[in-house]
Amino acid sequence: MHEYTAIAHPNIAFIKYWGNRENDLRLPANGSISMSLGALETRTSVTLLPELISDELELDGSLQSGSALERVSIFLEIFRSISGRHEFARVVSDNSFPQSAGIASSASAFAALALAASHAYELLLTERELSILARRGSGSAARSIPSGFVEWHRGSSNDDSFAETIAPLDYWPLWDCIALVEDQPKKVGSTLGHQLADTSPLQSARLQDADRRLDLCRKSILEKDFAKLADVIELDSNMMHAVMLTSCPPLMYWSPLSVEIMRQVSGWRTGGLEAAYTLDAGPNVHVICSADARPRVSHQLSEIQGVLDVIVSPVGGGAFLIPH
Ligand code: PMV
């Protein structure tokens, strides 16, 4: 049987996705905007094997069972039902970065899996259709199908909640300098976290203001206006973490070191350095910066006591299939 291999990059959200209006289909409560991270990748191979009696998953060299395998198997079931094929699959996936460290490995994982599986099950899909399917594995995976700067539309149903490029990867040479504060998997994963969003009294205010932030962010990218972008991405990250902190039970993803880094980055910007922070569902701090600022930002981050490592990434492309 033929093996299909796809590569996808994780993405960092400038305007965050937090909360679903429909959990099974992962229909988001709000639209979101992100940048693909070209230096990091997940490589996934899918082979359909008629002799298998269930799906198999090997992740970073170790055979999986339990919830990780179950999640992949539920996802592959969608491809089997659309294609009308019944074979189970062997899935082999490797990440070039630590898993579940707040670098959204599920985004690149489900984007690469969606692309490889669509070929294995012989489905000829458009980028939009692939983004919709990737979304069913992990919401943010919808944004790891297209290239460059990407917007995921909230949509009104399964068929129009997809992500597309709003500016190509070479449009604006921004960088993400990721200060690794912890390299352990997070305690509460985002699938569960999304379900708690509505328990926060702040979520409705966050959603009411989402279109305004999306407009500001889209405009600041198109106009390459760093000062405007910085203000809106820090505001949006703080609003998502305010919802997390006030949900029931509360989720606190920040560590004292995350807070220290956020304060320092704001200070650097006041001093003229083009840098802004944003954090996903983990303590690591993503510092978005201009090409000019990148050497100083990565050096200054690495000098902060307790920072384990600084991973640096330019804007990346979309998911692609590797020819065999
Ligand atoms: O795709 P998920 O379910 O892992 O959710 C991602 C949630 C955040 O990373 C916190 C925000 C985002 O938009 O990527």
Side-chain angles (χ1 to χ4, degrees):
M1 281 304 246
H2 202 75
E3 179 181 81
Y4 292 89
T5 302
I7 287 187
H9 304 291
N11 63 76
I12 178 66
F14 290 174
I15 301 296
K16 309 291 187 187
Y17 148 57
W18 195 247
N20 289 321
R21 47 188 219 278
E22 214 279 285
N23 281 318
D24 278 352
L25 289 171
R26 295 183 197 265
L27 288 174
N30 62 280
S32 52
I33 291 179
S34 62
M35 163 180 136
S36 167
L37 298 177
L40 311 175
E41 63 181 42
T42 300
R43 170 189 286 251
T44 300
S45 302
V46 174
T47 316
L48 305 192
L49 295 169
E51 67 269 24
L52 288 182
I53 51 164
S54 60
D55 295 310
E56 266 181 26
L57 171 65
E58 190 186 307
L59 201 55
D60 290 327
S62 67
L63 208 59
Q64 304 289 308
S65 57
S67 61
L69 173 62
E70 198 187 336
R71 186 163 170 190
V72 162
S73 215
I74 289 171
F75 185 63
L76 290 175
E77 211 42 59
I78 304 171
F79 291 78
R80 286 190 277 269
S81 95
I82 298 175
S83 66
R85 308 231 343 220
H86 304 290
E87 301 101 311
F88 290 108
R90 171 180 296 152
V91 178
V92 178
S93 188
D94 292 289
N95 288 310
S96 69
F97 53 98
Q99 242 196 85
S100 301
I103 314 180
S105 60
S106 65
S108 49
F110 281 98
L113 180 58
L115 181 56
S118 71
H119 284 268
Y121 285 100
E122 295 182 319
L123 297 171
L124 265 182
L125 302 176
T126 62
E127 183 184 275
R128 173 177 168 152
E129 289 166 333
L130 262 176
S131 173
I132 287 170
L133 280 178
R135 191 199 77 220
R136 308 267 308 263
S138 171
S140 56
R143 296 190 312 244
S144 278
I145 295 290
S147 173
F149 297 91
V150 170
E151 179 162 2
W152 170 16
H153 305 288
R154 177 186 187 276
S156 57
S157 67
N158 177 54
D159 300 336
D160 62 358
S161 185
F162 67 100
E164 63 182 340
T165 297
I166 52 170
L169 82 161
D170 56 358
Y171 186 77
W172 191 13
L174 293 182
W175 289 75
D176 184 5
C177 297
I178 310 164
L180 278 193
V181 167
E182 270 173 29
D183 54 8
Q184 296 302 307
K186 54 196 168 206
K187 287 172 205 86
V188 179
S190 41
T191 299
L192 186 62
H194 290 296
Q195 294 172 28
L196 299 180
D198 277 335
T199 66
S200 164
L202 303 186
Q203 173 73 342
S204 59
R206 180 183 162 272
L207 296 178
Q208 248 168 44
D209 184 57
D211 284 342
R212 185 189 70 89
R213 294 192 308 283
L214 284 163
D215 287 346
L216 267 173
C217 182
R218 197 185 309 109
K219 230 191 221 149
S220 62
I221 292 170
L222 295 177
E223 292 170 1
K224 302 178 193 173
D225 185 332
F226 195 88
K228 259 197 211 147
L229 180 73
D231 286 345
V232 74
I233 72 177
E234 289 189 357
L235 169 68
D236 192 84
S237 174
N238 290 342
M239 285 178 88
M240 179 182 74
H241 285 272
V243 167
M244 292 163 160
L245 284 164
T246 50
S247 66
C248 187
L251 296 173
M252 191 187 285
Y253 287 109
W254 293 347
S255 74
L257 188 51
S258 319
V259 177
E260 171 61 22
I261 298 169
M262 286 188 261
R263 292 171 68 143
Q264 293 218 20
V265 170
S266 295
W268 300 344
R269 192 160 75 258
T270 311
L273 199 61
E274 288 187 318
Y277 65 76
T278 183
L279 287 86
D280 280 343
N284 298 324
V285 184
H286 293 251
V287 183
I288 309 302
C289 61
S290 63
D292 284 350
R294 178 186 58 96
R296 264 185 68 194
V297 169
S298 60
H299 176 71
Q300 287 177 191
L301 285 174
S302 68
E303 298 275 278
I304 298 174
Q305 210 188 356
V307 169
L308 304 173
D309 198 4
V310 180
I311 299 172
V312 171
S313 177
V315 188
F320 60 98
L321 200 74
I322 300 184
H324 275 281

